[in-house]
Amino acid sequence: LVSQEALKAASLLHFREEAESLDLNRRIQSMKDQKQDETSDEPNIKRQKVEIKNILTSLKVDPDARSIQKFHYVPSKGEDPGYRILIATYVNEEAAADFNEEKEKAILKACNNGGDFVGSFYYQYENLVNRLNCRKEVEKPTDSGFRMSMGFEQFLQNTQMPVWFPLSIGQHKVLSMLNMKHDGKGGIKWKTDYITEGSKVQQGTHLPIEKRSHFRVGIIGGGIAGLACATEVIRRAEESGINIQVVVLEARSRLGGRLKTDSSTFHFSDGSKFPVDLGASWIHGIDQNPLAATAKSANIEFVTASEDVKMIKGDIQPVDIDMDEYIGKLYDNLLDQAADDVWESEDYVPDTERSQLAVRWYAEALSKDLTQETSIQRSDAPPHRHSSDVSIDHALGKVVSKHNYRVFRKFGTDEQSLLLWNTKNVEYALGANISDLSMKFWDSDERHAFEGDHVLLKQGYSTVIDHMKKELLLKGEKFKYELDFPVEKIEYARKSETLNHPPASYGRARKLIELSDACCVNSRDGRTEKFDFVVSTLPLGVLKQSVQATPEELGTIRQGVTFEPPLPFPKIDAIRNTGFGLLNKVYLQFPKAFWRIESILHKDKTLFGNASGIHPHHYMFFDVGKSLGRIQDQPPILMTLISGAEAVACERLTDQGLVNQVVETLRKLFTDALVSDPVAFKITRWGSDEFSRGCYTFLPPGATDQDFQLLQSPINGNGDSLTLEGSETMRLFWAGEHTTALHPSMAHGAMLSGVRAAEQIMSTIKLKSNDDKGGIERLIPMAIFRKKNPHVKLECSLCHLIGNRVREGSLLALQKGSRQFLVHNNCGQNSPEVEIRDGQWKSTLKAINRGKQINCCMCGHVGATIGCSSANCVRCFHFGCAEDTGWRFSRDGKEFFCDLHRNFSAHGNNECDQISLKFYKSKNPHLRIVFCAFCGGADDARKGKMLAFSQQNKLLTVHDHCARYTNILETLEDYTNLKDTDFKNLFQVIQRSKQCTFCKQGGATIKCAACDQHYHFLCADNNLSWNFLRKGNRLICPLHEKVANGNSSLHATTSKSGGPPKALFQHNLFFSGAARANGDTGGIDNRIDVAVNDKVWETIRNQHDLRNDTSHEMYRVDDALPSDKDFITDPLLMPIRGSTTSESQNETLNITRSSIWEPWTFDLSLAPSYDVNVTHLIIELPGSGDDNDDLFLLQQVNGKLIGTQGLSCTKDVIKVLRSSTKIKFEAQKYIRK
């Protein structure tokens, strides 16, 4: 052991080296040289003390301050004595309190009193001994000559660590220096042969290994992931000439896991067996899909079933096709808008605005005691996972509130049922309700999906398993499997004797890891298997049970699996926070196929949907007999699917109770007379299955796709993962559908994960490691970075902007050695020295250190690593600042040229690059006010923000809305992306612009679709009341509005505040008779909400003889965004008038708003009058609800009578309201009839 002072200096210098490596390397070498030159210890120790003092001074730490130690006390349990663990040693009380003054005072008081608890931790002044006391007398000296110098706890208490040096890292480092490690029981043992007990050292022995000449790999779980892993390990070992044996340990009495085919319940008409899959059924995309290739090699027949669903609303009545398409497209648009809103929001929001409660494991309610109904638990994301992400349900509800989709208010029972059906269709895909699915990441794997048909396997999925097993058994002793082997404990850090692997038969020399029994797997009945490596393919539900079970629950028949040593925090954190869904199936065979009616399922159609509103969780039925039967023999077998919380509820029903529920649904759809009782049925209960605990993975709010990296990361013998050094030997590997970010929840994803685990094992055997040599930096999940660095500001180390950014990209956490740092994806990869190959980052830290000395010539801040490539130019920029000048790295490449040295010849004539206003003004320093090149106006919130563009050496500025809604030329590069949209043709638009019809000024770029009238954006918005947000830029002037077959629809506004918007299911959108969405909505611009009741619509229909034409006009497939295009006539143009009663009943209403940009605090609605040719205008004040107390019939506006010139229709009133901040109404009390 080195002296205390030398150890202090070494630990301080080791960490300082990360920041200033060159300088400190010289200092370390100097210390070594000084130590060699000294002949006595005393001068050397004095010299080291001076060095420590200099280091502490450079760190701005008072060298005379008394160090403070922080302890965690573990109480005694039974015969096990209690002990305390040193958490950290701090240089002073300020550091110990994390710069919290109140806590600092409490810690100082405790230390001055000799030590005391502050909160749950014990603090005391450090008591250093001057030297390590070596014992000269030992009762029984060991043959090794080891002498105990001091107890380990005393050793740590006399070892000062830097202020940033927590024990979780520090103790590991110190132990490694001493060739020691934890024994998992609170004690310390030597890494080799020696175990410390108190002050004694006893010589031990390695655990014996049975003599063998081959590696042994144990695979826990005989599903498709386990079998694929076994196949790939053996294949790669044979190619490399490595002797290996793979053993699959399966808890069930069969192989296959969640792939199971039942061949005994259902039959063809001739009595032969009809197979049905109880687990996975489909192969999703057969092009380039390895699972499809395996199935083909087994001669399994593929069946491509039609995916068209016929919707039935009851009594064999199909849903209108136009309505079905309309609702489907509407729901898709809602999802798209909700996703845009969530991704555009700030990454990190206050807890008061955060909503991340979700069910993360549905089967948890079924995993303890099935005799009692346990509620499904919703849990919040832990603090290090807090973000602006919300559930789909919450995000959709927010969209409905924000944009006030008035179309929902007119929905009847059919539309509401279809909306609910689309919701259930989303839930089925992941086995989870939309209230528990992350809006950001629920479909993150979609872009990786395989192309090609989605097919069923005619002989069932078990035939794939049988084929894989048959192929493996041909390998002889290289493969074996054990059934009925429920694992109780997995040890993966045993110290055993080692053996050298024999050379290959052809004598090729290569370096391989030694053979050992480092891993041991124990079954519940006491059987034991020893391996070099273990692969866990345990389902996520079983892992959740293992990490969440209480000590009392372990040991029961419904127990989880124990890992020794315990799994590291990153792995447990991902297991707990990633979701595990539940999907169950009910198969029913009937005496006859009553559903095969020409109007329902004709030709090859096999799917029909339940739009009846009865038991909506049985949302879809699949004609299995027709799809998988023979041409002349198609048994009458139906299957229905149940997901999420409803699947939990159905597992609690008896078999007969669930069957009755399905039959009741079918009788609603097809009438009682047609539907007889089933003759056979089969029900799955995957949540109650102790070896699965659910079906497949989903991502709830608080989880991200980075969690798949955590779930798949191997673990070494120290129980470390992700942040370990490359030299560590991996022992525990992971596979299963929950460990793949590309194809989670898929059978082929599980298969591919097994192949990946096999590759990792073979790389470990061959001593290939992804280490830190050559500057490789390891990506680590952001949640783990936040957990380990809770007080670090989440900003990019280069541009210093916080959180994920649309332009700069995702904020990534990287690690090199012990250094962890953050950088935006685009900021890092576009720095000149940074390299990214096969997903590995290199030299990012070098770029960060270089950028600390370079200021950006645009914003002036440090971190500018992107320099102009021109030979004589020294200008440097951040990534975002470089793009502000018009450079596009995705288009123009990584070799950057500033605006002074740029070659524009490669750009197209119509291309225009968006630049920042700051850059535009730097090029035009004489301009005090910036004007729009289209409308000629200055900044105006109604026209959107002012944007700047360049085309070669030409510059212009234009309002966002003026550019976005121009229609004389296409100006949007991507109209579907309404955030940071790229524009084009703007300079050409100016040349084609005309005089505005209203203001008579030039620059009008919005043309009527039916004539040659041109308008500026604001002129059309104010004078035509054209809603560009909903109707788009295909403007129609008033003269041709009727021809366009549409009416004006206005956004709703209200100034009422009622907290955060409600979730989708908290709005009355799924219940018959819902008049409007619950919850308050925020106004858009200064629109007025004009509601029209059913009587008025009926009057309009009567006037235009449209009584029998109210269905197809509403459901226009090309107009699924809510636009209220129900009728040909615009109700806002209908004549209005006041009441004929005495003016003495009038009341005066004076209403104000702070500016014309603020919404009015009332609603307007139309009501019928006795004269069918006119209507009344009703004012509804806030807070009235359905009460009539605050309803008024409008008589006068600012002293002018309703119905006279200038106030002849509702649109005239709106014009007055738009331009006013004060309004005076004369109105009479109105009672809604």
Side-chain angles (χ1 to χ4, degrees):
L1 299 183
V2 296
S3 70
Q4 280 295 293
E5 301 298 334
L7 182 60
K8 287 184 193 177
S11 62
L12 285 168
L13 292 174
H14 173 77
F15 280 83
R16 188 61 179 266
E17 180 187 4
E18 294 290 337
E20 301 174 6
S21 56
L22 294 178
D23 177 62
L24 287 172
N25 276 332
R26 288 195 295 268
R27 295 167 73 182
I28 290 175
Q29 188 59 47
S30 176
M31 284 185 63
K32 289 181 180 179
D33 294 339
Q34 291 176 9
K35 188 171 183 178
Q36 291 175 357
D37 295 337
E38 294 294 336
T39 56
S40 65
D41 284 341
E42 290 301 322
N44 190 32
I45 292 176
K46 290 180 180 178
R47 209 172 263 102
Q48 291 167 358
K49 285 184 177 181
V50 172
E51 182 68 24
I52 292 173
K53 187 171 182 178
N54 292 337
I55 294 172
L56 292 174
T57 302
S58 67
L59 293 173
K60 298 181 180 180
V61 175
D62 182 4
D64 297 323
R66 296 190 64 181
S67 300
I68 292 176
Q69 293 180 318
K70 176 181 178 180
F71 294 91
H72 169 62
Y73 276 78
V74 179
S76 60
K77 292 184 179 179
E79 297 180 357
D80 296 333
Y83 58 95
R84 72 175 184 175
I85 300 173
L86 178 67
I87 302 299
T89 302
Y90 300 95
V91 293
N92 55 32
E93 62 275 7
E94 185 180 36
D98 197 18
F99 307 101
N100 183 315
E101 292 187 9
E102 299 259 338
K103 189 175 179 182
E104 180 183 338
K105 293 177 182 178
I107 291 175
L108 190 60
K109 181 179 179 182
C111 293
N112 288 333
N113 291 333
D116 201 352
F117 282 94
V118 177
S120 58
F121 296 102
Y122 187 91
Y123 294 86
Q124 70 177 41
Y125 283 126
E126 180 184 35
N127 296 313
L128 289 176
V129 293
N130 291 328
R131 71 173 73 185
L132 296 174
N133 297 317
C134 294
R135 293 192 176 192
K136 297 182 180 180
E137 295 182 2
V138 180
E139 295 179 2
K140 283 188 176 183
T142 61
D143 295 337
S144 64
F146 272 90
R147 295 293 184 272
M148 194 62 190
S149 59
M150 64 193 306
F152 182 76
E153 291 298 329
Q154 184 186 6
F155 169 77
L156 279 184
Q157 291 174 32
N158 288 279
T159 305
Q160 185 180 39
M161 302 299 174
V163 63
W164 61 86
F165 197 172
L167 184 69
S168 58
I169 299 174
Q171 193 177 63
H172 173 72
K173 292 283 185 184
V174 175
L175 289 174
S176 296
M177 292 168 64
L178 303 178
N179 200 30
M180 303 168 87
K181 65 169 287 178
H182 290 286
D183 65 1
K185 299 179 181 178
I188 304 298
K189 64 181 181 182
W190 299 100
K191 282 186 175 180
T192 52
D193 296 347
Y194 303 96
I195 303 174
T196 65
E197 294 182 358
S199 60
K200 298 180 181 180
V201 178
Q202 297 180 341
Q203 185 174 14
T205 59
H206 288 294
L207 296 170
I209 180 176
E210 183 178 348
K211 188 172 180 60
R212 53 185 166 91
S213 59
H214 59 269
F215 290 104
R216 296 194 86 221
V217 177
I219 299 177
I220 314 301
I224 193 169
L227 296 180
C229 183
T231 301
E232 186 68 10
V233 166
I234 293 173
R235 185 188 71 80
R236 287 173 174 264
E238 288 178 341
E239 288 180 352
S240 303
I242 296 174
N243 298 325
I244 204 163
Q245 182 186 51
V246 179
V247 181
V248 172
L249 305 176
E250 171 56 50
R252 307 175 193 272
S253 57
R254 60 172 178 83
L255 294 177
R258 284 163 281 170
L259 302 185
K260 180 181 181 182
T261 303
D262 175 81
S263 299
S264 60
T265 305
F266 305 106
H267 301 84
F268 287 98
S269 59
D270 61 3
S272 57
K273 296 177 180 178
F274 184 93
V276 295
D277 278 316
L278 304 182
S281 299
W282 297 82
I283 296 180
H284 295 280
I286 59 175
D287 293 351
Q288 309 299 319
N289 191 327
L291 178 55
T294 300
K296 286 180 180 178
S297 66
N299 297 317
I300 298 172
E301 183 180 349
F302 290 169
V303 176
T304 305
S306 170
E307 297 182 32
D308 292 338
V309 182
K310 185 68 175 182
M311 301 302 300
I312 309 173
K313 60 183 178 181
D315 297 330
I316 325 181
Q317 294 297 314
V319 172
D320 180 83
I321 295 176
D322 289 338
M323 180 194 297
D324 185 17
E325 291 182 354
Y326 174 84
I327 297 298
K329 196 166 183 181
L330 169 62
Y331 195 85
D332 290 343
N333 282 321
L334 279 173
L335 285 174
D336 291 342
Q337 184 63 60
D340 286 346
D341 287 354
V342 172
W343 280 107
E344 287 172 354
S345 61
E346 293 292 333
D347 289 323
Y348 309 108
V349 297
D351 276 353
T352 54
E353 302 175 21
R354 192 178 55 80
S355 177
Q356 293 184 294
L357 279 174
V359 177
R360 301 173 193 274
W361 181 25
Y362 285 92
E364 182 177 19
L366 301 167
S367 64
K368 296 180 181 179
D369 186 355
L370 292 179
T371 62
Q372 298 180 359
E373 285 204 10
T374 307
S375 61
I376 302 175
Q377 298 297 317
R378 304 187 75 208
S379 59
D380 198 0
H384 62 279
R385 289 176 172 268
H386 287 180
S387 70
S388 60
D389 190 18
V390 295
S391 68
I392 295 179
D393 184 25
H394 186 94
L396 291 180
K398 192 173 181 180
V399 168
V400 172
S401 294
K402 177 181 177 182
H403 299 292
N404 193 40
Y405 283 85
R406 294 177 53 83
V407 69
F408 290 131
R409 303 186 183 181
K410 300 192 294 276
F411 277 178
T413 302
D414 291 349
E415 292 93 337
Q416 293 158 7
S417 296
L418 286 172
L419 194 64
L420 183 56
W421 188 91
N422 280 274
T423 296
K424 292 300 172 189
N425 196 40
V426 169
E427 295 177 345
Y428 141 75
L430 293 164
N433 300 115
I434 62 170
S435 57
D436 307 313
L437 291 171
S438 162
M439 185 70 254
K440 282 188 175 181
F441 300 103
W442 72 280
D443 61 346
S444 60
D445 62 310
E446 188 174 335
R447 63 185 181 274
H448 305 297
F450 287 113
E451 299 293 332
D453 294 334
H454 300 272
V455 300
L456 296 160
L457 307 183
K458 194 155 192 174
Q459 294 90 344
Y461 248 113
S462 289
T463 53
V464 176
I465 300 299
D466 294 339
H467 172 73
M468 297 177 73
K469 181 181 72 172
K470 180 181 177 180
E471 293 294 313
L472 283 166
L473 290 175
L474 295 176
K475 301 297 181 181
E477 291 299 317
K478 294 179 181 179
F479 171 77
K480 74 172 188 175
Y481 69 94
E482 293 189 40
L483 301 179
D484 300 309
F485 195 105
V487 172
E488 182 178 57
K489 185 177 182 180
I490 300 174
E491 297 179 76
Y492 58 94
R494 302 169 79 249
K495 296 302 178 185
S496 75
E497 294 179 346
T498 60
L499 300 170
N500 290 325
H501 188 276
S505 57
Y506 44 83
R508 186 177 67 181
R510 73 257 194 247
K511 186 178 181 182
L512 300 177
I513 197 171
E514 294 178 322
L515 306 176
S516 74
D517 285 340
C519 303
C520 180
V521 180
N522 302 313
S523 70
R524 294 179 188 173
D525 58 7
R527 287 176 287 170
T528 298
E529 292 280 356
K530 299 182 179 67
F531 304 101
D532 296 272
F533 310 100
V534 169
V535 182
S536 169
T537 70
L538 295 170
L540 183 59
V542 175
L543 294 175
K544 283 179 173 288
Q545 178 71 18
S546 303
V547 302
Q548 294 180 203
T550 63
E552 293 75 18
E553 291 172 331
L554 292 175
T556 67
I557 195 170
R558 303 187 64 77
Q559 68 181 17
V561 177
T562 302
F563 291 88
E564 182 63 41
L567 297 177
F569 169 78
K571 185 74 70 175
I572 293 176
D573 184 58
I575 290 172
R576 285 176 174 165
N577 288 284
T578 305
F580 200 52
L582 181 59
L583 179 77
N584 281 318
K585 300 179 178 179
V586 180
Y587 287 94
L588 300 171
Q589 185 167 8
F590 292 89
K592 61 179 182 179
F594 55 84
W595 58 89
R596 292 175 190 163
I597 304 170
E598 184 64 23
S599 62
I600 303 298
L601 296 181
H602 63 285
K603 296 182 179 179
D604 62 339
K605 299 295 187 292
T606 57
L607 296 169
F608 60 90
N610 171 21
S612 68
I614 301 297
H615 302 308
H617 51 281
H618 299 298
Y619 86 105
M620 186 165 64
F621 292 85
F622 178 38
D623 190 342
V624 180
K626 187 175 182 179
S627 294
L628 301 177
R630 305 162 185 162
I631 296 177
Q632 301 300 327
D633 191 353
Q634 298 177 349
I637 302 174
L638 282 178
M639 179 193 70
T640 181
L641 302 162
I642 320 161
S643 62
E646 291 87 353
V648 174
C650 287
E651 286 205 30
R652 289 173 173 153
L653 296 175
T654 62
D655 285 356
Q656 192 57 52
L658 182 52
V659 169
N660 291 343
Q661 192 181 86
V662 178
V663 171
E664 182 183 2
T665 307
L666 291 170
R667 285 173 176 163
K668 173 63 178 176
L669 297 176
F670 291 95
T671 73
D672 294 349
L674 286 178
V675 183
S676 58
D677 291 334
V679 296
F681 64 85
K682 188 69 177 180
I683 299 171
T684 67
R685 300 180 184 274
W686 291 107
S688 305
D689 188 326
E690 64 173 322
F691 300 128
S692 63
R693 303 273 202 258
C695 290
Y696 39 59
T697 307
F698 69 91
L699 294 178
T704 73
D705 51 1
Q706 291 184 344
D707 284 305
F708 294 117
Q709 179 191 357
L710 289 167
L711 291 170
Q712 73 176 232
S713 297
I715 302 176
N716 66 358
N718 291 327
D720 294 330
S721 178
L722 289 177
T723 58
L724 47 87
E725 300 295 329
S727 59
E728 299 283 2
T729 300
M730 302 297 178
R731 293 295 178 183
L732 180 56
F733 298 82
W734 305 82
E737 55 82 24
H738 58 285
T739 67
T740 168
L742 301 183
H743 310 283
S745 311
M746 303 287 182
H748 61 258
M751 185 179 192
L752 288 169
S753 74
V755 174
R756 185 248 311 137
E759 293 172 353
Q760 293 172 333
I761 291 173
M762 296 309 298
S763 293
T764 302
I765 289 175
K766 296 176 182 179
L767 295 177
K768 294 180 180 179
S769 60
N770 295 323
D771 55 26
D772 289 348
K773 295 179 180 179
I776 296 297
E777 293 145 341
R778 189 177 289 107
L779 275 169
I780 59 176
M782 182 60 71
I784 300 307
F785 178 89
R786 292 175 65 186
K787 176 67 178 179
K788 291 194 172 185
N789 305 276
H791 303 297
V792 172
K793 196 174 183 180
L794 300 178
E795 69 175 21
C796 175
S797 300
L798 292 174
C799 70
H800 309 292
L801 297 176
I802 295 175
N804 299 323
R805 317 284 296 188
V806 172
R807 181 168 59 178
E808 284 77 11
S810 300
L811 190 63
L812 305 177
L814 296 167
Q815 176 169 325
K816 182 181 179 184
S818 60
R819 282 285 302 276
Q820 294 181 351
F821 48 92
L822 300 173
V823 65
H824 283 126
N825 182 69
N826 290 333
C827 294
Q829 71 177 0
N830 288 295
S831 292
E833 59 266 74
V834 176
E835 299 178 34
I836 305 175
R837 293 181 182 176
D838 300 325
Q840 291 186 325
W841 288 64
K842 184 178 180 180
S843 303
T844 314
L845 188 58
K846 180 179 178 182
I848 292 173
N849 289 332
R850 180 174 67 87
K852 291 178 181 178
Q853 310 299 323
I854 307 174
N855 294 82
C856 177
C857 65
M858 275 281 290
C859 67
H861 297 137
V862 297
T865 58
I866 300 174
C868 178
S869 298
S870 180
N872 299 318
C873 186
V874 295
R875 303 175 79 202
C876 293
F877 300 79
H878 295 119
F879 168 81
C881 294
E883 292 224 328
D884 279 347
T885 68
W887 187 268
R888 295 293 178 266
F889 286 90
S890 59
R891 179 195 65 196
D892 304 323
K894 191 172 180 178
E895 187 179 3
F896 169 75
F897 289 89
C898 70
D899 55 291
L900 301 179
H901 303 97
R902 195 168 298 167
N903 180 10
F904 295 100
S905 60
H907 290 202
N909 292 330
N910 296 334
E911 288 189 25
C912 54
D913 300 317
Q914 186 172 344
I915 60 178
S916 69
L917 276 178
K918 182 177 180 180
F919 178 71
Y920 176 85
K921 291 177 180 178
S922 70
K923 294 294 183 181
N924 299 274
H926 59 283
L927 292 179
R928 290 190 175 184
I929 302 176
V930 178
F931 296 95
C932 175
F934 288 8
C935 70
D939 282 336
D940 190 332
R942 294 172 297 177
K943 303 175 187 178
K945 62 182 179 181
M946 189 73 78
L947 307 176
F949 295 89
S950 68
Q951 186 179 76
Q952 297 185 3
N953 292 318
K954 297 181 291 185
L955 303 175
L956 66 77
T957 52
V958 62
H959 291 116
D960 178 88
H961 292 172
C962 293
R964 186 182 300 276
Y965 297 115
T966 290
N967 60 18
I968 58 177
L969 275 179
E970 180 62 51
T971 58
L972 295 179
E973 290 283 5
D974 181 7
Y975 186 72
T976 61
N977 180 14
L978 298 181
K979 54 184 180 183
D980 274 15
T981 308
D982 286 330
F983 291 86
K984 62 183 179 182
N985 295 325
L986 294 181
F987 290 86
Q988 288 70 28
V989 167
I990 295 178
Q991 298 173 4
R992 296 193 182 189
S993 63
K994 300 290 182 66
Q995 185 183 70
C996 177
T997 300
F998 283 109
C999 69
K1000 307 303 180 184
Q1001 300 297 318
T1005 61
I1006 302 173
K1007 179 180 177 294
C1008 173
C1011 66
D1012 198 41
Q1013 302 284 348
H1014 283 68
Y1015 307 90
H1016 294 124
F1017 167 78
L1018 197 58
C1019 292
D1021 187 62
N1022 282 341
N1023 296 284
L1024 302 182
S1025 297
W1026 185 265
N1027 191 326
F1028 286 93
L1029 184 61
R1030 289 200 179 181
K1031 295 184 177 183
N1033 65 350
R1034 191 175 182 275
L1035 180 140
I1036 304 172
C1037 70
L1039 295 176
H1040 302 92
E1041 194 167 8
K1042 291 184 179 181
V1043 179
N1045 217 13
N1047 72 315
S1048 300
S1049 70
L1050 301 175
H1051 287 267
T1053 64
T1054 174
S1055 63
K1056 294 176 279 188
S1057 60
K1062 297 177 181 295
L1064 179 64
F1065 279 95
Q1066 291 175 306
H1067 294 270
N1068 292 333
L1069 304 184
F1070 301 102
F1071 305 97
S1072 180
R1076 65 174 64 200
N1078 289 336
D1080 300 313
T1081 60
I1084 301 177
D1085 295 339
N1086 59 338
R1087 302 290 197 268
I1088 311 300
D1089 184 10
V1090 180
V1092 184
N1093 66 28
D1094 293 338
K1095 181 68 175 178
V1096 174
W1097 290 122
E1098 183 179 348
T1099 301
I1100 295 171
R1101 292 192 186 102
N1102 290 338
Q1103 291 174 336
H1104 295 274
D1105 196 23
L1106 296 173
R1107 286 185 201 142
N1108 300 320
D1109 189 21
T1110 60
S1111 58
H1112 296 287
E1113 187 66 31
M1114 179 175 181
Y1115 308 110
R1116 295 165 59 93
V1117 177
D1118 60 346
D1119 186 36
L1121 277 172
S1123 60
D1124 289 354
K1125 292 184 177 179
D1126 298 46
F1127 311 106
I1128 295 177
T1129 298
D1130 186 349
L1132 303 184
L1133 297 177
M1134 290 187 64
I1136 58 173
R1137 74 177 181 190
S1139 172
T1140 57
T1141 58
S1142 172
E1143 292 185 3
S1144 61
Q1145 299 182 25
N1146 287 0
E1147 295 186 28
T1148 301
L1149 305 176
N1150 290 303
I1151 305 175
T1152 63
R1153 56 178 176 172
S1154 58
S1155 72
I1156 62 172
W1157 319 125
E1158 293 297 318
W1160 288 103
T1161 58
F1162 57 86
D1163 287 339
L1164 298 179
S1165 60
L1166 295 176
S1169 71
Y1170 291 106
D1171 183 351
V1172 296
N1173 294 315
V1174 297
T1175 58
H1176 293 311
L1177 196 56
I1178 307 302
I1179 303 170
E1180 182 177 348
L1181 298 181
S1184 60
D1186 292 331
D1187 195 351
N1188 290 319
D1189 290 343
D1190 293 310
L1191 297 178
F1192 296 87
L1193 191 154
L1194 190 58
Q1195 299 286 87
Q1196 298 180 22
V1197 178
N1198 291 339
K1200 190 173 182 179
L1201 286 174
I1202 291 293
T1204 59
Q1205 183 68 30
L1207 292 177
S1208 60
C1209 64
T1210 306
K1211 188 169 289 188
D1212 291 340
V1213 177
I1214 291 175
K1215 288 180 181 179
V1216 175
L1217 293 173
R1218 284 186 187 279
S1219 59
S1220 305
T1221 57
K1222 297 179 181 180
I1223 201 77
K1224 178 182 178 182
F1225 289 141
E1226 293 289 331
Q1228 295 182 4
K1229 284 284 189 178
Y1230 179 79
I1231 297 177
R1232 181 177 289 139
K1233 298 181 177 62

